[in-house]
Amino acid sequence: MRTQNFNPQNYRRRSIRESLCSAVAIVSVFVFAVLSAEVKAQQQPYFVDGYHGGVYGHYPLEWKTRFIVDQMEQHPEWRISLEIEPETWDSVAVHTPVDYRRMQELVKSPRVEFTNPTYAQPYCYNISGESLIRQFQYGIRKIREHFPDVEHLTYAVEEPCFTSSLPQILSQLGYKYASLKCPNTCWGGYAAPFGGETVNWIGPDGSSILTSPRYAAEELQKGSVWQTTAWGNHADYLKACREAGIEHVVGMCFQDAGWKNGPWLGYGENVRGGSKYVTWREYFEMLGIERGEQDYHFTQEDIRPALMWGSQVMQRIGRQVRRSENIIPQAEKMATMAAILSPDYTAPQATIDEAWRTLMLAQHHDSWIVPYNGLHRRGTWADWIREWTRSADRNAMEVIQSAQNEIAGTTAQTNNTAILRVWNTQPFARCEVVRVALPREWRGYEVEVQDSEGNRFGAFLGRGNLVFEAQVPAFGYTTYRLIRTDRRAERRRDVEQSTTIENDLYRIVVDAEKGGVIRELICKQTGENWVDSESAGWGELKGYFLSQRKFRSSTETPAKVTTGRWGEIGEWMMIEGEISSHPFTQFIVMYKNSPVIDVELRIDWQEDEAIGEFRQRNAWSTNRRACYDDRYKLNLLFPLSFGDATLDKNAPFDVCRSQLENTHFGKWDEIKHNIILHWVDVAERGENNRSLALMTDHTTSYSFGEGEPLGLNVQYSGAGLWGKKYTITEATRINYALVPHRGNWDEAEIEQIRALRAEPLLSSLHEEAAMDSASLMELSDNGYELVAAYPVEEGIVVRLYNAAADEKPQQLTLGFEAEKVEQIDLNGKTTDQIEVKSRKGKSSFNVQMPRFGFRTYVIYKK
């Protein structure tokens, strides 16, 4: 065995080398550990868990609150977001008071966040903008009754409860964040995919809110018809997001409050994907940013909803909700007039609040997606909606009548003379037809109408109503005297068998042999025809009748056409036809000098008919659904004489220019936005610029596309979500209107026409009242709307909306003197002091806002 001679120099070199290697190894391990920690931090997935439901949706009162608190105590790493109907806590406090007090303590922790305070969790896109504001305001008020210290900073929902104007509403409520995800409950639709980790959600008015979108990498779940891939933080979702460059991936699921589940992804060391539970607020605050990675100009067509549009139950719900949405703000405006004109008047706030409450419940998303489901073991959602809206209407009418009597005195009884007050709740002077319900004792006698100077007005008597054209100042009233004569009214029958009616602007000609379709709508100024001469005509009813396996049309059977006149007020036409042996009636009215053509449609079904694309056998989990493609439903068709056109449609505090090639889809993963809230407007491109606005009395769907006429969905009958049969059980009744015009919707004041139709002139009869008139509020520009006015203890609140004007200042003139005016946000916080000019008992001030913006003011009366 050879031995190496010891060399101290070699030993020293080796020791230094080994020491260096050891040092490098130690440093490498440290660097690797740091880098690994950074990589791990970058790849840490997050998950927002929580509960969705409530006492009207799902929330078992006996055990749910206790279960939530117990689970939070057992799993300290867990975080929850609560999307619970605010009224639920009233019931919890009564049924389980001990658990209620435990919940009151729990919500003080940062581990809990309330993310949707709306009173009844509406879909948002299908109701009026003012209704949506009240949903938030009443809901926040109710939550703070139970949890006074709760902050509302993030809007997040389990169902597709979105609309384009939410950034403006949320910002004025103090919100900082929003989410456009609804990963586990997409039965009724979903938001479009866009962007990465964060975006700046930009509303139509320019408002912005930091938002977690439905990522472009967040796909619809394969094999599902209700989920996106973000519902469970599975490996494929996390991988897709990381490959898309998303550093802080977040998933989400608000569990149904009826489920008995704790942490959705597991707990302790067994949380799926190593996910970390966070609230939305914690997630955004962890990111530590104020602006998103890119701007997202989210339009109404980025909401992709699909409900049972055209079914009779949806039509009834839509019409009932629309009627209440219109009358409650009008009642508040009448209360405002009374508060201005009668210093001792106190608005019946409890009655107003109850009207809003029952309307808001009727706007619940379950009202629209599961109308046939049972509710509280006492009827279906549809049954409750009927009762809720009836209650809302009764309460609103009570407020209206009490305000009218406060201003004008006791309601008239049976004298031969009466004072008629005609009320205008819009901030513009109006010259319109008004209908007055006469006392029973007056019916059958001629009635004279006189103004304060003794001038007589032409009036028409029909069906117990007096009909005449009234001139009423802006946001005020005018007064007429009615005199019942001793002359018996002649039974006027200005009726003839004609196929033409007209007013000063247009002439309509129908084809009786083709089911009464409109073959000509002629503009008298130019002689142009708006109807496509090569088509069947306007107003054709057409749909696919499954029992016959073919399309049927109202043009297949001749119609009886009757026309008549209401004195000098207007002309009408009644078309009585058939569609596949089912009688229908269309009643068309044209008033003097009005561009609006009103139509009432009634179809008297003789039996249930299956109408749609095909008979759905498996309606639970199939991607293709019979209830989607509107072309096969029964439609009213309006083929236009111009081809190249744009389409605009209104939405809550918005008007959207459609970018769709067509509205047609047949599968859940291909949903398109085809919703008509109040109106759609088709405008010809080019110099002629002919246009047609189609208005409806309920939220529903429309169809349109290249080579396809504009269609209004009238009837679907067949299988819906979860296999429920949506059948025909009664006559179909809807109202719609046509507004032919030139130029775009804003040039034709389509939004103002909608607002005026929502609040028709009101009338009341009184024994004694001054023969005077008054204007209490007037706007200088027709592009602005008075969406709300209501009295408060310190004055009156008015909310203005810039529907169609530019950003230049406009003037609001008051018919009384104001001490001061403040601009406030939706929480009631003062944001600006407004300069007021006063002269001779009147005041005025300037208002300014971007198009589609709204502003709220408190006016303090001297």
Side-chain angles (χ1 to χ4, degrees):
M1 178 176 175
R2 293 179 62 185
T3 60
Q4 184 175 0
N5 292 332
F6 177 75
N7 186 327
Q9 189 69 29
N10 289 339
Y11 179 81
R12 187 166 57 251
R13 290 195 198 98
R14 186 177 63 189
S15 298
I16 293 171
R17 186 169 59 250
E18 289 176 351
S19 298
L20 287 172
C21 288
S22 298
V24 169
I26 292 170
V27 171
S28 297
V29 170
F30 175 75
V31 170
F32 178 78
V34 171
L35 291 175
S36 297
E38 290 182 358
V39 169
K40 185 176 181 180
Q42 290 173 354
Q43 295 182 345
Q44 169 70 65
Y46 298 89
F47 195 80
V48 182
D49 202 350
Y51 292 105
H52 155 87
V55 70
Y56 294 99
H58 304 93
Y59 195 97
L61 290 170
E62 296 77 13
W63 59 266
K64 188 63 186 187
T65 307
R66 179 171 62 257
F67 178 80
I68 293 174
V69 179
D70 287 348
Q71 289 290 308
M72 290 293 285
E73 290 177 353
Q74 292 173 25
H75 307 294
E77 78 281 6
W78 197 31
R79 305 287 191 273
I80 58 170
S81 295
L82 293 178
E83 188 194 12
I84 304 297
E85 298 154 8
E87 204 172 287
T88 302
W89 306 114
D90 292 343
S91 298
V92 171
V94 173
H95 285 265
T96 56
V98 174
D99 300 328
Y100 169 74
R101 289 191 291 271
R102 292 176 68 200
M103 178 63 79
Q104 286 181 311
E105 291 301 313
L106 175 63
V107 301
K108 295 176 182 178
S109 162
R111 297 168 59 202
V112 179
E113 182 179 19
F114 287 79
T115 62
N116 179 9
T118 54
Y119 203 88
Q121 302 170 0
Y123 275 128
C124 301
Y125 62 80
N126 60 334
I127 63 176
S128 70
E130 185 61 26
S131 289
L132 187 51
I133 288 175
R134 303 305 179 95
Q135 285 275 358
F136 277 97
Q137 290 179 325
Y138 278 98
I140 289 172
R141 182 191 305 175
K142 175 59 70 175
I143 288 174
R144 286 179 176 159
E145 287 179 12
H146 297 280
F147 311 109
D149 299 324
V150 163
E151 287 187 285
H152 298 280
L153 296 180
T154 310
Y155 180 76
V157 292
E158 177 61 14
E159 306 224 14
C161 300
F162 305 120
T163 196
S164 57
S165 60
L166 270 175
Q168 179 175 204
I169 295 172
L170 295 173
S171 297
Q172 291 201 30
L173 287 165
Y175 278 72
K176 297 172 65 177
Y177 317 116
S179 167
L180 280 166
K181 298 178 184 294
C182 58
N184 203 40
T185 312
C186 301
W187 297 98
Y190 40 81
F194 181 87
E197 188 166 285
T198 58
V199 298
N200 307 306
W201 177 1
I202 311 294
D205 71 312
S207 296
S208 175
I209 190 167
L210 180 62
T211 299
S212 174
R214 177 191 157 199
Y215 305 143
E218 182 183 337
E219 298 180 352
L220 299 176
Q221 182 74 46
K222 291 181 175 60
S224 172
V225 289
W226 69 89
Q227 293 167 307
T228 75
T229 52
W231 73 274
N233 273 16
H234 290 87
D236 55 349
Y237 169 66
L238 300 179
K239 181 175 182 291
C241 292
R242 286 163 181 159
E243 289 177 351
I246 299 171
E247 185 177 352
H248 305 95
V249 181
V250 63
M252 168 188 164
C253 176
F254 289 175
Q255 305 175 48
D256 190 299
W259 299 346
K260 206 165 190 177
N261 291 323
W264 184 245
L265 300 187
Y267 52 86
E269 298 297 321
N270 299 314
V271 180
R272 184 182 298 135
S275 301
K276 180 180 180 179
Y277 290 112
V278 291
T279 64
W280 274 115
R281 177 178 180 175
E282 286 179 324
Y283 175 77
F284 283 110
E285 289 180 348
M286 177 272 299
L287 296 179
I289 59 175
E290 294 184 1
R291 297 281 299 170
E293 296 170 344
Q294 60 186 125
D295 289 344
Y296 185 11
H297 292 274
F298 182 94
T299 76
Q300 202 68 357
E301 290 191 335
D302 288 316
I303 306 162
R304 298 176 180 176
L307 299 175
M308 299 303 101
W309 308 118
S311 64
Q312 287 196 331
V313 66
M314 292 287 282
Q315 287 173 343
R316 289 195 301 270
I317 290 170
R319 298 184 75 201
Q320 289 161 358
V321 168
R322 177 66 52 78
R323 184 172 60 247
S324 297
E325 282 182 340
N326 290 342
I327 195 172
I328 297 175
Q330 193 168 31
E332 289 184 324
K333 292 175 184 179
M334 283 302 309
T336 300
M337 289 189 197
I340 294 170
L341 294 170
S342 280
D344 296 331
Y345 173 78
T346 300
Q349 194 58 50
T351 305
I352 294 171
D353 290 343
E354 181 62 13
W356 276 114
R357 172 185 169 271
T358 52
L359 168 60
M360 291 186 296
L361 292 176
Q363 294 169 333
H364 194 294
H365 65 271
D366 279 345
S367 297
W368 300 76
I369 195 169
V370 287
Y372 286 130
N373 277 14
L375 179 62
H376 291 177
R377 301 179 182 177
R378 289 185 296 164
T380 65
W381 275 96
D383 295 331
W384 278 91
I385 292 161
R386 181 183 63 248
E387 296 308 312
W388 281 330
T389 53
R390 282 178 179 175
S391 174
D393 296 349
R394 284 194 302 268
N395 283 320
M397 283 306 304
E398 180 182 325
V399 174
I400 288 172
Q401 290 168 0
S402 66
Q404 291 170 340
N405 291 339
E406 177 70 27
I407 299 169
T410 309
T411 302
Q413 300 299 319
T414 59
N415 296 329
N416 289 338
T417 64
I419 302 301
L420 170 66
R421 279 277 170 88
V422 181
W423 312 86
N424 175 14
T425 54
Q426 288 288 326
F428 311 102
R430 297 163 74 172
C431 180
E432 294 178 16
V433 170
V434 63
R435 289 176 171 81
V436 182
L438 294 174
R440 184 178 299 276
E441 293 78 4
W442 287 35
R443 297 176 186 177
Y445 292 90
E446 290 188 4
V447 177
E448 294 182 357
V449 182
Q450 298 179 359
D451 64 13
S452 58
E453 298 179 356
N455 298 315
R456 296 184 179 183
F457 289 76
F460 181 83
L461 288 172
R463 297 181 180 180
N465 289 330
L466 178 73
V467 184
F468 74 102
E469 190 176 67
Q471 297 185 15
V472 193
F475 199 77
Y477 65 86
T478 194
T479 311
Y480 297 91
R481 186 182 304 279
L482 302 186
I483 302 173
R484 193 200 76 174
T485 71
D486 294 329
R487 298 186 300 273
R488 301 293 298 185
E490 295 182 11
R491 187 172 180 82
R492 299 176 62 177
R493 294 186 58 85
D494 299 339
V495 175
E496 57 184 270
Q497 302 297 313
S498 171
T499 57
T500 302
I501 58 172
E502 60 189 319
N503 65 7
D504 308 77
L505 304 176
Y506 300 102
R507 181 174 68 253
I508 287 177
V509 180
V510 303
D511 187 342
E513 293 300 311
K514 293 294 184 180
V517 293
I518 298 175
R519 297 305 302 267
E520 293 182 2
L521 188 144
I522 304 295
C523 173
K524 288 189 172 181
Q525 183 177 9
T526 65
E528 291 175 291
N529 184 11
W530 255 246
V531 182
D532 182 1
S533 59
E534 297 181 0
S535 70
W538 283 9
E540 176 192 9
L541 285 163
K542 184 178 181 181
Y544 192 76
F545 285 62
L546 286 162
S547 62
Q548 303 171 52
R549 298 184 180 180
K550 64 180 180 179
F551 281 94
R552 297 301 305 270
S553 168
S554 60
T555 63
E556 298 168 4
T557 307
K560 176 183 176 182
V561 179
T562 308
T563 61
R565 296 175 60 87
W566 286 329
E568 300 300 318
I569 296 168
E571 299 187 3
W572 57 265
M573 174 182 287
M574 180 179 290
I575 300 166
E576 298 170 277
E578 288 186 358
I579 170 73
S580 185
S581 77
H582 302 283
F584 74 86
T585 302
Q586 294 211 63
F587 190 75
I588 305 172
V589 178
M590 300 180 74
Y591 292 113
K592 181 177 67 175
N593 295 321
S594 174
V596 180
I597 302 166
D598 285 298
V599 188
E600 297 178 13
L601 169 67
R602 177 186 173 112
I603 306 174
D604 289 299
W605 300 99
Q606 303 301 291
E607 59 184 353
D608 181 27
E609 285 273 12
I611 303 174
E613 185 181 3
F614 60 93
R615 293 186 187 274
Q616 187 92 47
R617 301 302 180 189
N618 176 10
W620 179 269
S621 58
T622 52
N623 189 33
R624 185 165 175 254
R625 295 186 182 276
C627 58
Y628 282 164
D629 196 332
D630 281 358
R631 289 175 295 180
Y632 292 86
K633 300 175 185 179
L634 186 66
N635 283 274
L636 278 164
L637 300 177
F638 304 97
L640 298 162
S641 58
F642 47 89
D644 188 17
T646 61
L647 184 142
D648 295 292
K649 47 190 167 185
N650 86 318
F653 298 125
D654 190 14
V655 175
C656 172
R657 169 65 56 88
S658 179
Q659 301 301 314
L660 299 175
E661 291 185 7
N662 59 64
T663 60
H664 315 319
F665 66 93
K667 298 179 180 179
W668 175 79
D669 57 9
E670 298 175 351
I671 296 173
K672 301 177 184 180
H673 185 282
N674 62 349
I675 305 303
I676 174 171
L677 176 63
H678 298 105
W679 56 263
V680 297
D681 187 75
V682 180
E684 179 183 22
R685 288 189 173 99
E687 293 182 1
N688 276 344
N689 211 4
R690 289 169 294 174
S691 307
L692 177 71
L694 169 63
M695 296 183 165
T696 76
D697 65 350
H698 64 291
T699 302
T700 186
S701 62
Y702 72 95
S703 60
F704 189 65
E706 186 175 353
E708 300 274 351
L710 176 64
L712 178 64
N713 180 1
V714 171
Q715 190 67 70
Y716 169 73
S717 178
L721 293 173
W722 304 288
K724 176 64 185 176
K725 297 294 185 182
Y726 287 73
T727 57
I728 296 172
T729 60
E730 62 185 20
T732 293
R733 299 177 181 86
I734 65 170
N735 294 337
Y736 66 94
L738 303 172
V739 189
H741 64 93
R742 290 193 181 276
N744 289 324
W745 64 271
D746 49 357
E747 298 171 292
E749 300 180 346
I750 297 300
E751 260 296 290
Q752 188 197 19
I753 292 173
R754 178 206 62 77
L756 296 177
R757 289 171 62 80
E759 296 183 11
L761 296 175
L762 299 173
S763 64
S764 59
L765 294 175
H766 306 271
E767 290 183 356
E768 294 182 5
M771 292 290 293
D772 62 354
S773 62
S775 174
L776 305 177
M777 210 178 300
E778 185 167 14
L779 278 166
S780 61
D781 193 299
N782 290 356
Y784 273 49
E785 293 178 16
L786 177 67
V787 294
Y790 52 90
V792 291
E793 185 176 349
E794 59 272 24
I796 61 172
V797 173
V798 299
R799 185 155 30 252
L800 303 177
Y801 166 52
N802 182 354
D806 57 27
E807 296 190 27
K808 296 177 182 178
Q810 307 297 332
Q811 187 175 81
L812 182 65
T813 301
L814 307 175
F816 57 93
E817 195 165 353
E819 181 178 351
K820 65 175 180 177
V821 176
E822 294 177 343
Q823 182 176 316
I824 61 173
D825 63 17
L826 294 180
N827 285 324
K829 180 182 177 182
T830 300
T831 59
D832 198 7
Q833 297 289 338
I834 307 300
E835 180 183 359
V836 180
K837 297 179 180 179
S838 297
R839 184 171 180 268
K840 294 183 178 180
K842 296 186 177 182
S843 295
S844 64
F845 60 95
N846 286 342
V847 296
Q848 188 172 15
M849 61 201 77
R851 180 175 284 195
F852 306 132
F854 62 80
R855 298 291 184 268
T856 309
Y857 304 90
V858 180
I859 301 172
Y860 298 83
K861 185 183 175 185
K862 273 193 175 179

